Amino acid sequence: MSAIAINPVYRVVRFYEAPIGKKAIMALTGVVLFGYVVAHLVGNLQIYGDPQQINKYAALLHNPATSGLLWGARIALLLAVVMHIVASIQLWKLKNDARPVAYVKKDDAAATYASRTMMWSGPIVAAFVIFHVLHLTVGAVVPLQEIAPNEPNVRANVIAGFSNPAISAFYILAIALLCIHLYHGLWSMFQSLGFSHPRYTPKLKKGAAIFAILIAIGNCSIPVAVMVGLVK
Amino acid sequence: MKIILHIWRQRNCKDKGKMTRYEVPNVNQEMSFLEMLDVLNEDLILKNEEPVAFDHDCREGICGTCGCMVNGMAHGPLPGTTLCQLHMRHFKEGDELYLEPWRAAAFPVVKDLVVDRSAFDRIIAAGGYISVATGSAPDGNAVLVPKENAECSMDAAACIGCGACVAMCPNASAALFTGAKIAHLGLLPQGQPERDQRAIAMVAQARQELFGSCTNIGECEAVCPKEIKLEVIARMNGDFIRASLTGR
Amino acid sequence: MELNSNSPTGPIETRWERHRFNLKLVNPANKRKYNIIVVGSGLAGGSAAASLAELGYNVDCFCFQDSPRRAHSIAAQGGINAAKNYHNDGDSIYRLFYDTVKGGDFRARESNVHRLAGISLNIIDQCVAQGVPFAREYSGYLDNRSFGGAQVSRTFYARGQTGQQLLLGAYQALERQIGMGAVKMFPRTEMLDLIVVDGRARGIVTRNLITGTIESHFSDAVVLGTGGYGNVYYLSTNAKGCNATAIWRAHKRGALFANPCFTQIHPTCIPVSGEYQSKLTLMSESLRNDGRVWVPTTKRDKRVPSQIPEAERDYFLERKYPSFGNLVPRDVASRNAKAVCDEGRGVGESGLAVYLDFRDAIERLGASVIKERYGNLFDMYNRITGEDPYKEAMRIYPAMHYTMGGLWVDYNLMSNVPGLYVIGEANFSDHGANRLGASALMQGLADGYFVLPNTIGDYLASNKLEKVDSSHAAAREAESSVHAVTRKLLDAKGTRSVDSYHRELGKIMWEHCGMARNAEGLKQALALIPPLREQYWSDVKVLGAGEELNQSLEKAGRVADFFELAELMCRDALDRNESCGGHFREEYQTPEGEAARDDENFAYAAAWGFQGVGQPPVLHKEPLTFEYVHPSQRSYK
C-alpha cells in the first residue's frame, strides 16, 4: 500500500489512470452537458411565446458587453465535450483490450438498450451537435438572417431550417438518441460517483427516464410545430 | 433426452482452438450440468477421444471453481445458480448448447473450458484484507458491528470469485468482484483504517491486470450466482474517488 | 516403535501454557533463514502459511486448486464452536473439552482436546478482527446458536456460509503475505511425494498441473494441511478434488496413519438420484431441529408423502429415542436411517432415503418462520431435486462426510517423521472416533493459527539441518518414483476410465466399511480390493500426455492411492473389535442396538506403519488415558 505523501501531479495521474477516474470525469462533464441541454431547451421553448421573445433572448446572449461570459461558457462547454469524448474513447479502447477474443455466442442478461448503445448514440449525437452548430450558429449550411449585428433572427432561422424535412428528420433522430443516451447517463452518473441505494436508485432510474423523455418531447416539439405550421 | 453441445476445444494457451460438436444421447433430467459433462467425458474416453477439460470442485455452488458460458450466459440460464447447481430439467430434448470458456484478457484460456483466474488473487493481494497479525486481536465483542452493516457486509462477502461477472461484462470488467471485497471490508468497523488505501490499491491492480472499465450495464449483477448487487460497485467508486481527493 | 505423544502432564488447564514455555524459540532475526513448505491452503494450511509468514519464516504454499480460496473448508455451513460463554449459559473451556472428549467416544487425547477448547476463544477474536462478518444481534454483539445437540449456545456463524467466511479470512491473510513476498504460492500444483533425508522431512515432489512439470521443492520442515480422505467412497460430501495423495504418499515414506476407520457419516444429505451421481450434497443438520424423520410402515410405499396418513408413518427416531428424538447424534441418526432402508421401507426411486418432514413445523410455526430459519436450505433442495419442501417432505439419506482418522501426530502436531507436521482434518488428533458439529472449523484454525506456529520453532531451533538440493539422492529417487507412477498410469492404455474404477471401489467401501461394519463384510472387502487394484493398474485408461493439463491423469494418481488406503481402512476396522463413534461394528452393540465400546482392550489410537503395497501394515498403539473425563456409555434414550 502507498506511502502517506504523494506528489499532487502523480495523484491526478493515478486518479485519471484508473477507469473509475475516467468514469468520474465522464459523470462530471456529463452533469455540465446535461445542464446545457436543459438550459438550451428552456431557451428554445421561448419560440412558443411572443414572436419577438426568442430573438430578444438571443440578443441578450449576444450582447457585446457580456461576450466574455458567452465565450467563457462556450469554452467550458467545449472542454466538457472534449473531456467526455476523450474519456469515452479511452474507455472504449480499454474494453477492446480487455476482451481480445469475442464469444461465438453471446446473450444479454440485463443490459438495457440504452446502456449497450452508449458508444453509438454518443458519436451520432456529437455529429449532430457539429451540424447543429454549423447550421444555426455559424450559418455554414444556409445563410443566417440577422435583425442587426449581434442580433440574430433566431425565429426566422429556426423556421427556415425546420421547414426542410431532411433537417427536421435528422434533428428528431438525434434527439431520440440523445434521450436514450441521457437516460443511461443520468442515473449512471450517480453510480459512477459512488451513490447507490436500494431505495433511491430504482427511483433515480425512473426519474432519469421521465427526464429524458420530457427533454425529448420538448426538443422534438419545435420541428414538429414548424412543420405542421403551429410556429410561423 | 438428447442434448447437442458445441464446446470450445483448445489444447493449451498457445493453441488456436475451435468449437466442436458433440451429442449426448442419454441425458437424465435429474443430472446436474456437470454430471452431463461427466457422461460426455466417459463416452469420449471409451472412444479414445480426449475428455473435455473443465474446472469444478465442490459441486455445491460455493467454491467458485466451475463455470463457463452456456449459450452466451455465464453459468447458464438460471439466475443465482452456479453451473454445478444447474440441473438438466431446465433444458429440453434437442437443445443446442454452446459452451465457451470465460473470455477476458485477464483470464487466459488454459485448456478447453479452463481459464486462469489468478488475476483475482492478485487483486486481493493488493489490498483485499485487514492487516491483523495472528494473536493481536482484541475480544470478539470488543468491536460492535451494527446488525445491518454485518448483513450488508455478508451480502458482499458471499462472492465466490468464480469470474462470471467478468465473463458476462461487455467490458470484461472486474468491478463487481473488486467492489464486493471493498464493500465487505469497508462496511465493517474493523475495515476502516485501511479503507482508503485498499480502494486505491485494489482498483490500480485491477487496471494492471487488464480488466476493463465498468459502464454500469448490470450484466454482472444479473448472472452473479451469489446475486451480489451493483451497489458494491458504487461503493468502490465512492471509496476510490474519496480516497483520491482526500488523501494527503 | 515407541510412540511418544509428547503430551505434557500435570493440571490440564495449564498444560499448553507450560508446554509452550518449554519450547525452544527461533531468534526473530533468524526466522527468515528457514524455509517451510505448507501443502494445502484450506483453513488449516492457509492459516498456518499466513501465520508462519507473519512470524518471519519463508513459506512456500501449495494447492491443487486454481486459487487458495477454493479449498473445501469453504463448504462448511453450520458454524464454529468457541467456549466464550457470551450467553451466560454455563459454558466454559472445560465444558467444551468435556463435550468433545465424550462426543469423540473417548478415543481422543485429553491434552490435545483441552488445548483446542482453550484456543477456540482466540480463534473467534482473530476472525472478527480479520473482518469475518459473523451474525450479530441488533445491539451489534456477536450472535450464537446451539448446534448439533449441544446444550449451550456456543456456535458462531455467518449465515449458512461459516466455512466460506472463515476460509476467506485465512485466504486474505495469506494473500497479504503473498503480496508482501513472504509466501510464495503455487496454485494448481499437486504434491506427489515427500522427500525424506536422513529420516527427516526435507521437501516434496510436485507436479505442475498445467505444464505437467515434475519438480522438487526443499525446506526445513513440511506441513501437510491437505484435508480428509472421504472420497475413498467415491460418493461423499467432499469436493471432487479432495484426495488423500499427500498424506498417503507421506505414509508410504514412513508417517504412521492413525485410526483410518474413524469416518463420519452425515445423516442429512440429498439422496443419490442415479448412476451418474458425482457427489452428494449435505444440508445443515439444523434441519433436524424442526423436521421430523419418518418412513412408511409398509414396505415400498410409493404414495407421495403427503398422502400417507399419520397412522401409517413410523417416526422411528422419536419412537426409539424418546428423549432426544430427531436430535440424536449424527452416527445414531445415520445408522437408524440405514436400518429402515435395509428393511425395505426406504422411500424414493432407489429406496435409499427417508423423509424429513416439515409439515407439523409449518402448521405450528407458519411457513414464514420456517422460511426464515431454513429458506436457503429449502432453496438448495429445490434447486437440486426440483421438489418443493414446503409442500412435500424432503428425502434425505446419510452420506460420507468427514474423516476423523489421519496421519498420527504428537502434541506438537509433528508426525513420527521428524520435520513433517500434519494439521487439520489430515491428522487424527482431536476428534477421537466421532466429531461434533461445528468442531472441524475450530480444529483447522486452532492448528494453523495458534498451535503450529508455536511448536514448529522448537523443531527448527533444536536441529541443525544441512542444506539439501535436487542433486541429493533422496530427491532424485522421489522424483523418479513419481515419474514412474505417471508413466505406468499413462502406459496402461486399458479399457476402463478412472471414474469407473473409483465408483466400484466406492461401492465396496460403502457396502462393507460404511455406516455399519462387520467382520465378514470387512474380510470380503479385503478380498475384493487387492484384485481390483491390480486390475486397475493394468486396465485403466488414461488418455493424453503427462506434460499438459490432464485431469484424467490427476484423478488416476489419486484413485491409485485410494485403493491402498481403502485396504488399510478395512484392516483397521476389522482390527478394532469394538464399536465407538463413527465406527460401528455390528457384532459389538448393546442389547438396545447402541455402540458397545471396549475400553479395556481398545482405548488406544491405532497407528499403522506402511510395509509395502499389499503387505500387511504394522500396528503401533498409542494408549489413551483419561484423567479428567471418565469413559461412560453414551445414551440418547
Side-chain angles (χ1 to χ4, degrees):
Chain A
M1 288 198 186
S2 52
I4 296 203
I6 297 176
N7 168 340
V9 177
Y10 172 66
R11 187 180 289 283
V12 171
V13 170
R14 189 182 64 181
F15 176 72
Y16 191 72
E17 254 187 359
I20 297 177
K22 294 192 184 71
K23 286 294 289 183
I25 296 298
M26 287 195 71
L28 292 173
T29 52
V31 174
V32 172
L33 297 174
F34 174 69
Y36 172 72
V37 166
V38 173
H40 187 61
L41 176 62
V42 170
N44 287 354
L45 289 177
Q46 297 179 50
I47 203 158
Y48 294 117
D50 167 75
Q52 290 313 309
Q53 187 177 339
I54 192 160
N55 286 345
K56 277 188 208 152
Y57 172 67
L60 177 79
L61 290 182
H62 287 257
N63 184 347
T66 55
S67 74
L69 271 181
L70 179 67
W71 277 103
R74 280 176 172 168
I75 287 168
L77 272 176
L78 196 65
L79 208 63
V81 168
V82 168
M83 284 166 80
H84 200 79
I85 291 175
V86 167
S88 73
I89 291 172
Q90 286 176 321
L91 288 172
W92 183 69
K93 196 180 161 307
L94 198 63
K95 163 193 170 125
N96 288 341
D97 294 347
R99 178 164 297 129
V101 183
Y103 289 110
V104 173
K105 201 167 170 136
K106 179 70 170 57
D107 201 359
D108 292 316
T112 58
Y113 184 76
S115 67
R116 279 186 289 121
T117 52
M118 291 303 269
M119 220 36 223
W120 297 109
S121 54
I124 295 174
V125 169
F128 168 75
V129 168
I130 294 170
F131 171 80
H132 195 56
V133 169
L134 290 175
H135 174 207
L136 290 172
T137 311
V138 181
V141 181
V142 283
L144 296 174
Q145 301 178 33
E146 275 187 81
I147 300 164
N150 283 324
E151 269 186 59
N153 191 345
V154 174
R155 192 176 170 88
N157 290 333
V158 166
I159 293 171
F162 288 144
S163 303
N164 181 336
I167 290 178
S168 285
F170 184 34
Y171 182 92
I172 291 172
L173 171 78
I175 292 296
L177 287 173
L178 176 69
C179 162
I180 291 173
H181 196 84
L182 274 184
Y183 161 66
H184 182 75
L186 261 178
W187 79 261
S188 131
M189 68 171 77
F190 288 92
Q191 172 83 8
S192 295
L193 293 174
F195 178 82
S196 174
H197 192 283
R199 268 197 299 141
Y200 302 117
T201 300
K203 294 199 175 88
L204 253 173
K205 283 192 189 181
K206 241 182 239 160
I210 293 169
F211 233 105
I213 289 168
L214 284 180
I215 284 178
I217 292 173
N219 276 313
C220 289
S221 72
I222 299 171
V224 172
V226 169
M227 284 197 291
V228 299
L230 278 177
V231 174
K232 283 180 266 194
Chain B
M1 60 182 169
K2 184 166 94 177
I3 297 284
I4 296 153
L5 298 172
H6 299 266
I7 304 180
W8 182 262
R9 300 301 306 260
Q10 180 176 342
R11 284 205 71 85
N12 52 47
C13 57
K14 293 187 193 90
D15 186 26
K16 244 177 71 83
K18 62 173 197 309
M19 298 299 282
T20 308
R21 185 178 185 277
Y22 300 96
E23 283 184 16
V24 192
N26 296 314
V27 176
N28 180 315
Q29 59 163 9
E30 298 300 316
M31 278 178 188
S32 72
F33 199 90
L34 298 187
E35 283 166 349
M36 187 256 307
L37 290 181
D38 289 342
V39 168
L40 168 70
N41 276 347
E42 287 291 292
D43 215 47
L44 289 178
I45 292 172
L46 293 183
K47 286 196 264 180
N48 282 323
E49 284 180 51
E50 263 213 57
V52 179
F54 63 94
D55 256 334
H56 64 101
D57 200 19
C58 77
R59 297 207 178 187
E60 44 189 281
I62 192 74
C63 73
T65 314
C66 70
C68 70
M69 301 298 276
V70 179
N71 281 353
M73 289 279 251
H75 288 301
L78 213 62
T81 307
T82 55
L83 195 61
C84 63
Q85 293 286 286
L86 176 64
H87 281 67
M88 295 311 290
R89 70 179 75 90
H90 301 287
F91 297 92
K92 56 180 197 304
E93 170 71 29
D95 271 356
E96 282 201 47
L97 307 176
Y98 285 75
L99 310 191
E100 297 177 70
W102 297 158
R103 293 273 185 213
F107 288 171
V109 173
V110 173
K111 184 177 185 178
D112 298 344
L113 302 175
V114 177
V115 299
D116 175 0
R117 284 167 292 196
S118 52
F120 271 7
D121 292 325
R122 290 188 291 273
I123 292 178
I124 298 296
Y129 48 75
I130 291 172
S131 302
V132 49
T134 304
S136 53
D139 185 83
N141 264 343
V143 183
L144 300 185
V145 182
K147 190 176 170 70
E148 191 173 281
N149 283 43
E151 294 293 323
C152 291
S153 173
M154 181 64 221
D155 287 340
C159 170
I160 55 175
C162 63
C165 46
V166 174
M168 198 64 189
C169 175
N171 305 308
S173 165
L176 197 71
F177 171 81
T178 315
K181 190 48 65 194
I182 287 174
H184 159 210
L185 299 174
L187 279 158
L188 297 171
Q190 304 94 300
Q192 297 313 309
E194 291 168 296
R195 188 167 158 189
D196 286 6
Q197 293 136 287
R198 180 182 306 123
I200 290 201
M202 290 179 75
V203 167
Q205 188 65 35
R207 169 80 192 88
Q208 218 175 316
E209 299 291 348
L210 294 180
F211 287 109
S213 142
C214 172
T215 52
N216 308 330
I217 292 175
E219 293 285 279
C220 51
E221 181 184 47
V223 296
C224 174
K226 298 293 144 185
E227 300 182 316
I228 291 169
K229 300 282 170 243
L230 277 188
E231 215 180 314
V232 301
I233 301 181
R235 218 183 149 80
M236 166 176 74
N237 294 342
D239 277 9
F240 177 82
I241 293 168
R242 201 182 44 127
S244 299
L245 293 179
T246 61
R248 282 167 195 276
Chain C
M1 191 191 317
E2 188 60 33
L3 285 180
N4 181 3
S5 74
N6 285 314
S7 287
T9 49
I12 198 153
E13 291 77 12
T14 55
R15 280 185 190 174
W16 173 231
E17 200 184 329
R18 282 180 287 121
H19 184 78
R20 257 190 306 173
F21 179 73
N22 292 327
L23 293 173
K24 284 201 186 118
L25 298 174
V26 178
N27 180 317
N30 284 338
K31 285 197 176 112
R32 63 187 166 81
K33 294 179 188 158
Y34 290 102
N35 285 318
I36 299 174
I37 282 174
V38 178
V39 187
S41 62
L43 282 183
S47 60
S51 303
L52 291 170
E54 282 164 11
L55 287 172
Y57 295 112
N58 278 315
V59 178
D60 287 347
C61 185
F62 297 81
C63 69
F64 72 80
Q65 298 93 340
D66 71 326
S67 159
R69 68 181 293 151
R70 313 238 186 258
H72 196 55
S73 310
I74 206 157
Q77 299 170 354
I80 177 166
N81 284 333
K84 284 279 194 188
N85 194 26
Y86 280 157
H87 283 252
N88 197 26
D89 57 358
D91 200 9
S92 63
I93 291 173
Y94 196 85
R95 186 177 294 282
L96 177 54
F97 156 67
Y98 177 90
D99 288 353
T100 307
V101 171
K102 183 175 172 225
D105 224 358
F106 304 94
R107 292 294 174 263
R109 220 185 263 150
E110 275 191 336
S111 300
N112 283 54
V113 177
H114 195 278
R115 174 176 67 190
L116 175 67
I119 289 175
S120 69
L121 311 183
N122 308 87
I123 294 172
I124 296 302
D125 301 341
Q126 182 65 23
C127 294
V128 167
Q130 283 173 344
V132 171
F134 282 118
R136 299 274 167 170
E137 316 253 12
Y138 277 103
S139 54
Y141 287 95
L142 287 159
D143 191 17
N144 292 126
R145 60 183 172 198
S146 89
F147 190 80
Q151 287 167 307
V152 289
S153 285
R154 63 159 77 103
T155 304
F156 294 78
Y157 64 100
R159 296 210 185 130
Q161 290 130 278
T162 318
Q164 179 199 27
Q165 294 310 314
L166 296 176
L167 180 67
L168 291 181
Y171 158 74
Q172 286 161 203
L174 176 60
E175 284 297 338
R176 175 171 165 248
Q177 297 301 320
I178 295 170
M180 297 195 301
V183 175
K184 188 156 193 281
M185 188 69 215
F186 297 82
R188 289 201 204 266
T189 307
E190 183 165 28
M191 166 181 165
L192 293 180
D193 210 344
L194 180 71
I195 299 172
V196 180
V197 177
D198 303 329
R200 295 173 188 284
R202 294 304 305 275
I204 60 173
V205 180
T206 60
R207 178 168 181 272
N208 177 320
L209 298 184
I210 293 178
T211 62
T213 317
I214 289 170
E215 270 182 326
S216 296
H217 301 265
F218 301 94
S219 63
D220 299 297
V222 175
V223 180
L224 303 183
T226 53
Y229 49 91
N231 271 350
V232 166
Y233 293 85
Y234 187 74
L235 287 181
S236 81
T237 65
N238 285 6
K240 291 297 285 176
C242 290
N243 66 81
T245 289
I247 54 171
W248 189 253
R249 305 222 173 152
H251 173 61
K252 289 171 94 167
R253 292 281 174 193
L256 301 180
F257 206 116
N259 299 337
C261 78
F262 287 172
T263 54
Q264 186 173 70
I265 311 286
H266 198 287
T268 49
C269 298
I270 299 175
V272 174
S273 67
E275 195 50 26
Y276 47 80
Q277 187 92 25
S278 60
K279 80 152 274 158
L280 296 170
T281 303
L282 176 152
M283 290 183 298
S284 169
E285 72 184 322
S286 61
L287 285 173
R288 287 195 283 143
N289 288 340
D290 287 306
R292 298 178 71 192
V293 178
W294 62 277
V295 286
T297 49
T298 48
K299 290 183 184 177
R300 280 170 284 281
D301 191 333
K302 291 290 169 201
R303 286 176 288 178
V304 290
S306 56
Q307 298 302 314
I308 299 176
E310 197 63 26
E312 291 172 48
R313 297 176 172 206
D314 176 14
Y315 294 92
F316 55 93
L317 290 177
E318 296 172 24
R319 174 168 57 79
K320 285 175 76 176
Y321 307 95
S323 69
F324 274 71
N326 295 301
L327 291 172
V328 291
R330 291 176 177 179
D331 52 338
V332 179
S334 300
R335 272 199 301 279
N336 280 284
K338 179 182 192 295
V340 292
C341 292
D342 289 349
E343 284 172 30
R345 294 197 285 146
V347 298
E349 279 294 307
S350 60
L352 288 176
V354 299
Y355 290 125
L356 177 64
D357 202 340
F358 285 82
R359 186 193 62 181
D360 297 349
I362 290 174
E363 241 165 56
R364 190 175 71 243
L365 303 163
S368 62
V369 174
I370 294 299
K371 190 180 163 80
E372 192 184 306
R373 285 190 193 162
Y374 309 110
N376 58 341
L377 295 168
F378 279 30
D379 289 348
M380 184 169 79
Y381 183 83
N382 175 263
R383 206 177 293 136
I384 293 175
T385 64
E387 294 165 18
D388 181 1
Y390 293 99
K391 295 208 175 89
E392 288 293 343
M394 288 183 179
R395 285 173 293 110
I396 56 163
Y397 199 64
M400 185 54 223
H401 173 54
Y402 186 88
T403 54
M404 282 75 68
L407 292 186
W408 183 88
V409 289
D410 66 5
Y411 189 68
N412 293 323
L413 303 181
M414 187 162 81
S415 71
N416 58 307
V417 178
L420 177 68
Y421 288 79
V422 191
I423 57 178
E425 191 180 350
N427 74 23
F428 89 111
S429 72
D430 294 356
H431 304 299
N434 178 42
R435 180 178 64 75
L436 292 180
S439 283
L441 301 179
M442 178 172 72
Q443 188 222 344
L445 290 179
D447 288 359
Y449 280 133
F450 295 103
V451 182
L452 183 81
N454 279 290
T455 58
I456 204 166
D458 183 59
Y459 170 77
L460 298 172
S462 350
N463 291 283
K464 183 96 188 80
L465 299 166
E466 297 295 324
K467 200 115 196 94
V468 187
D469 60 29
S470 50
S471 61
H472 197 283
R476 288 213 305 270
E477 188 270 322
E479 263 187 52
S480 63
S481 82
V482 167
H483 277 291
V485 169
T486 309
R487 272 269 64 80
K488 203 173 163 193
L489 289 167
L490 286 169
D491 288 348
K493 299 200 193 316
T495 59
R496 283 173 58 187
S497 71
V498 177
D499 275 352
S500 78
Y501 276 102
H502 193 181
R503 273 205 180 91
E504 193 172 340
L505 173 68
K507 274 189 190 140
I508 295 174
M509 290 300 286
W510 183 244
E511 186 61 30
H512 300 296
C513 196
M515 267 184 280
R517 300 134 184 204
N518 58 53
E520 196 195 333
L522 289 165
K523 282 179 191 151
Q524 210 176 329
L526 283 170
L528 287 170
I529 296 168
L532 188 64
R533 184 186 68 227
E534 298 292 324
Q535 191 192 337
Y536 175 77
W537 280 106
S538 59
D539 181 49
V540 70
K541 186 171 186 170
V542 182
L543 300 173
E547 297 77 27
E548 60 176 2
L549 176 69
N550 187 337
Q551 294 175 323
S552 306
L553 179 63
E554 293 164 25
K555 278 194 276 191
R558 295 167 191 167
V559 172
D561 293 329
F562 283 143
F563 271 110
E564 296 171 18
L565 171 57
E567 209 177 321
L568 182 68
M569 290 167 71
C570 294
R571 245 175 234 290
D572 185 44
L574 184 62
D575 200 67
R576 191 170 277 278
N577 287 319
E578 64 160 351
S579 294
C580 60
H583 170 64
F584 187 78
R585 280 281 298 274
E586 286 166 349
E587 306 93 313
Y588 306 100
Q589 45 182 312
T590 62
E592 299 90 46
E594 301 308 322
R597 240 179 24 240
D598 179 353
D599 291 325
E600 209 158 298
N601 297 306
F602 291 96
Y604 63 77
W608 298 90
F610 185 75
Q611 297 293 306
V613 178
Q615 303 299 314
V618 187
L619 174 62
H620 306 274
K621 296 177 184 176
E622 184 205 330
L624 298 170
T625 48
F626 295 90
E627 295 170 53
Y628 290 86
V629 188
H630 296 291
S632 60
Q633 191 71 46
R634 293 191 307 167
S635 171
Y636 300 97
K637 287 278 171 187

